[in-house]
Amino acid sequence: MLTINLMQRQIMELKKEKGVVIVAHNYISQAIREIADHVADSYSLTEIAQRTRSETLLICGARYIAETCKVLCPKKKIILVNKEANCPMAERFTADDVKRAKKQYPGYALVCYINTSAEIKALCDVCVTSSTAVNSCRKIPNNQILFLPDVNLGSYIASKVPEKTFAFLEGCCPTHAKVTAEDVIKVIAERPGAKILAHPTCGPDVLKLADFIGSTADIIDYAKNSSAEEFIIGTEIAIAEHLQYAFPEKRFYPLSKKLICRDMKIITLHDVYDCLMGRGGEEIELASQVQLRSLICINKMFELNG
Ligand code: 13P
């Protein structure tokens, strides 16, 4: 019989033997986190992909991360370990929707969340992540911004950049959008004194009640550096679980049991093993025009954020 531990050991040997680097998003399971070379938020993953010398990267995350890595590293072999791991928000709008919106809002800068396909990024001016969105929107010269596809993140940015005019293509993250202010009020009553840390893709009513708002990496850093002992984690439940392993002296609770991203949960250790054995997964390939145009949009993010 195989065990998690045995499979992890086999993966560690195989990745060394084959010179493969495993890159995972912070929402990944603890079992994969332990064998990954890098685990980070969306922004850092794009930097790591460019920095790593390996020719082959296994991406343990949703398709949009793998596509973004491919755009940035066209010569590398980028493998999405589970080809079913999509992001419903990234699929919310078609290229035609975005082209129509562009005509409807002439003069607006088109700003897209990284949770979009490369095809959509190719139509936009600037890509942002949750950790760079406010700074990017402040810095772009344009005073009118059309933001897609997350209206919650967009509204949060708009509240921080009141000097600019925002319009939205209104999609949302179905996982974060399920959490309500009532969920927060209930959890505050159960655990008074605990700090509420929330991802900016939660709704405005939830964010209003949070002690801290930030990307997955910002949430992890806040919990690490805070002197508080109890934390309520308002993002995918993997973060609360990871924090509990990382800082056993503190207590971490998910804000709601609704905070489960099905697309991240389907990515298993077996998927990673299969990819290392040369079966399963999907090698990302992009049309050359999409590759070129989306690179401009993604590079703008680095330009604006140093
Ligand atoms: P970050 O890791 O960049 O915060 O993104 C998380 C995410 O994808 C939210 O849905």
Side-chain angles (χ1 to χ4, degrees), residues 62-282:
R63 178 173 297 273
Y64 72 89
I65 296 273
E67 285 194 357
T68 307
C69 292
K70 184 65 185 175
V71 171
L72 289 165
C73 317
K75 296 216 169 95
K76 288 179 184 159
K77 192 169 177 179
I78 305 290
I79 298 172
L80 177 64
V81 301
N82 186 318
K83 63 182 180 184
E84 303 295 327
N86 295 312
C87 167
M89 177 164 58
E91 295 174 342
R92 171 70 178 80
F93 297 107
T94 63
D96 282 343
D97 292 332
V98 177
K99 284 179 196 161
R100 255 194 310 276
K102 243 178 162 170
K103 283 194 190 138
Q104 231 181 313
Y105 292 93
Y108 278 63
L110 221 62
V111 178
C112 62
Y113 190 25
I114 193 168
N115 300 43
T116 43
S117 66
E119 191 190 9
I120 298 294
K121 288 185 180 78
L123 297 168
C124 295
D125 299 304
V126 190
C127 165
V128 300
T129 64
S130 54
S131 61
T132 58
V134 171
N135 188 48
S136 294
C137 289
R138 254 187 213 132
K139 281 197 182 159
I140 51 174
N142 210 299
N143 281 326
Q144 293 173 310
I145 292 171
L146 175 58
F147 188 83
L148 72 143
D150 191 319
V151 71
N152 287 336
L153 177 62
S155 307
Y156 172 70
I157 305 165
S159 73
K160 297 283 173 193
V161 191
E163 65 277 17
K164 299 203 176 182
T165 304
F166 283 80
F168 306 104
L169 277 191
E170 300 201 10
C172 64
C173 164
T175 304
H176 288 87
K178 271 189 217 138
V179 186
T180 62
E182 286 66 42
D183 293 326
V184 188
I185 291 162
K186 183 167 166 263
V187 92
I188 291 175
E190 283 166 6
R191 306 195 184 281
K195 294 278 182 204
I196 315 267
L197 318 185
H199 196 270
T201 52
C202 291
D205 293 352
V206 171
L207 296 183
K208 233 184 272 167
L209 298 167
D211 294 298
F212 176 78
I213 299 166
S215 77
T216 54
D218 295 335
I219 288 175
I220 292 169
D221 279 352
Y222 183 98
K224 177 182 170 189
N225 297 322
S226 167
S227 56
E229 285 170 6
E230 285 198 321
F231 302 86
I232 310 296
I233 306 300
T235 189
E236 218 284 339
I237 58 165
I239 302 293
E241 188 190 8
H242 159 60
L243 283 167
Q244 197 56 74
Y245 277 105
F247 309 108
E249 68 287 2
K250 300 179 178 180
R251 302 307 298 166
F252 300 94
Y253 307 95
L255 171 53
S256 159
K257 62 184 176 190
K258 292 177 272 188
L259 280 164
I260 295 176
C261 172
R262 286 188 303 176
D263 288 86
M264 291 304 293
K265 288 289 175 270
I266 61 168
I267 306 169
T268 65
L269 212 48
H270 289 270
D271 292 332
V272 179
Y273 179 79
D274 280 349
C275 286
L276 285 166
M277 294 301 286
R279 50 181 192 241
E282 179 183 324

